[in-house]
């Protein structure tokens, strides 16, 4: 079962986001297995992240690796992530 996850973060900046990505890529943890879509949106100093995962178990496995990196960079959570079961995903077809 695929899931959508919305991560509640406090005051996320582009600099913090980029540093987390740099560290994950350097450690060869990015992109993680099972992540189908990753979206960064919002305004500077209030950026948000949502993702679609193939399963809750894959999210849990990656979270164990991600949390120490977030702590090192100073990214603060405003609570537990919101997790929703995916009922349908559609991607537009491209015409060639």
């Amino acid at each position: 079962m695929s899931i959508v996850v919305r991560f509640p973060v406090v005051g996320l900046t582009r600099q913090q986001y980029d540093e987390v990505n740099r560290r994950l890529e350097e450690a060869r943890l990015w992109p993680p297995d099972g992540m189908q879509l990753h979206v960064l949106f919002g305004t500077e100093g209030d950026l948000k992240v949502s993702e679609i995962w193939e399963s809750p178990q894959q999210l849990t496995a990656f979270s164990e690796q991600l949390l120490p990196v977030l702590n090192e960079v100073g990214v603060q959570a405003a609570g537990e992530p919101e997790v929703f079961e995916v009922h349908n995903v559609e991607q537009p077809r491209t015409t060639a």
Side-chain angles (χ1 to χ4, degrees):
M1 157 190 70
S2 291
I3 57 171
V4 172
V5 184
R6 294 184 352 188
F7 296 95
V9 291
V10 177
L12 182 63
T13 67
R14 186 62 194 227
Q15 182 179 358
Q16 288 173 309
Y17 176 84
D18 289 345
E19 180 61 17
V20 168
N21 277 349
R22 184 190 70 74
R23 291 178 186 211
L24 292 174
E25 287 173 358
E26 187 176 274
R28 299 182 191 256
L29 298 173
W30 190 262
D33 290 336
M35 188 183 68
Q36 298 175 321
L37 182 68
H38 172 90
V39 180
L40 174 70
F41 60 97
T43 58
E44 178 60 26
D46 192 29
L47 295 171
K48 308 290 182 201
V49 173
S50 291
E51 296 173 341
I52 297 178
W53 285 82
E54 290 176 10
S55 73
Q57 295 80 10
Q58 289 169 308
L59 169 63
T60 299
F62 178 65
S63 294
E64 293 171 3
Q65 298 169 318
L66 176 63
L67 290 175
V69 176
L70 294 177
N71 289 333
E72 291 170 5
V73 175
V75 176
Q76 297 179 8
E80 293 296 315
E82 294 180 276
V83 179
F84 306 92
E85 183 177 335
V86 171
H87 297 286
N88 186 37
V89 175
E90 294 186 28
Q91 295 180 345
R93 294 184 183 147
T94 58
T95 56

